[in-house]
Amino acid sequence: MPRRYWLLKTEPDVFSFDDLLAAPQQTSGWDGVRNFQARNFLRDDMKVGDGVLIYHSRIPPMAIVGVAEIAKEGHVDPTQFDPRDHHFDPKSKRESPQWFQVDVRAVQKLARPVTLEELRGLPALKEMALLQRGQRLSVQPVRKSEFDFILKLAKSRAQ
DNA sequence: GCCAACGTTGGC
DNA sequence: GCCAACGTTGGC
């Protein structure tokens, strides 16, 4: 099975790439995802060693800011059972959990953020999920060509 | 803060 | 199973 590539969105005021770098072993559970399509990627498709782009949404500058990798494959997201947690799901039963997470380990911060604005209009990325109209999935597959292109972009125009 | 896009819920 | 109402995402 060849290595696959993904993009994970996060709101940096909630959890940023710097927070991931500061975590023990630079690793964190990617919990709180409450969308079935995204859940299926987390539970079924992500494998240890897969490459991950971390994207900051909502707070400007919206940008891809770092690279990570899958450190642990899909396992139960405990926040679904915690009534005090923002992501609590009263419909989730312990014997049949609905929501899953992976563990993600930081690999490197990009030399500079690659902004959404910059990504738009690049022919090499015109099919990238992040850039499609109306998309809002927080867990997205990324092509190897797109992953490599973005890493090169971050280096080539680094200040 | 606005609102388009889209996912989910629930009445029927 | 349909679909209107509602809630959320996330760029602007």
Side-chain angles (χ1 to χ4, degrees), chain A residues 42-139:
Chain A
L42 295 171
R43 185 189 60 189
D44 304 332
D45 297 323
M46 290 177 156
K47 301 300 171 194
V48 169
D50 281 1
V52 177
L53 299 171
I54 303 293
Y55 173 78
H56 282 173
S57 66
R58 291 278 292 174
I59 309 290
M62 281 83 77
I64 296 171
V65 294
V67 179
E69 63 183 7
I70 302 300
K72 185 180 176 186
E73 288 167 19
H75 53 286
V76 172
D77 174 352
T79 63
Q80 68 196 299
F81 304 123
D82 181 355
R84 292 158 304 176
D85 194 282
H86 182 244
H87 298 288
F88 176 61
D89 181 354
K91 295 194 301 300
S92 234
K93 301 279 171 275
R94 284 187 185 274
E95 58 275 19
S96 56
Q98 288 222 74
W99 305 115
F100 290 77
Q101 63 180 3
V102 293
D103 288 357
V104 170
R105 179 189 304 120
V107 173
Q108 59 169 17
K109 193 168 180 168
L110 294 184
R112 65 186 181 88
V114 177
T115 65
L116 183 63
E117 185 181 23
E118 180 180 356
L119 295 172
R120 288 199 192 282
L122 292 173
L125 301 179
K126 72 176 196 301
E127 292 181 43
M128 191 175 179
L130 180 70
L131 306 176
Q132 304 310 305
R133 176 185 175 82
Q135 70 69 36
R136 21 176 252 194
L137 203 57
S138 65
V139 179

Side-chain angles (χ1 to χ4, degrees), chain A residues 7-21:
Chain A
L7 180 141
L8 293 174
K9 292 183 191 174
T10 183
E11 299 183 26
D13 55 336
V14 177
F15 189 84
S16 69
F17 190 75
D18 286 339
D19 292 331
L20 183 61
L21 286 171

Side-chain angles (χ1 to χ4, degrees), chain A residues 110-112 114 149-159:
Chain A
L110 294 184
R112 65 186 181 88
V114 177
F149 185 89
I150 286 162
L151 263 52
K152 210 186 313 176
L153 199 59
K155 275 182 206 157
S156 67
R157 298 187 201 167
Q159 3 278 7

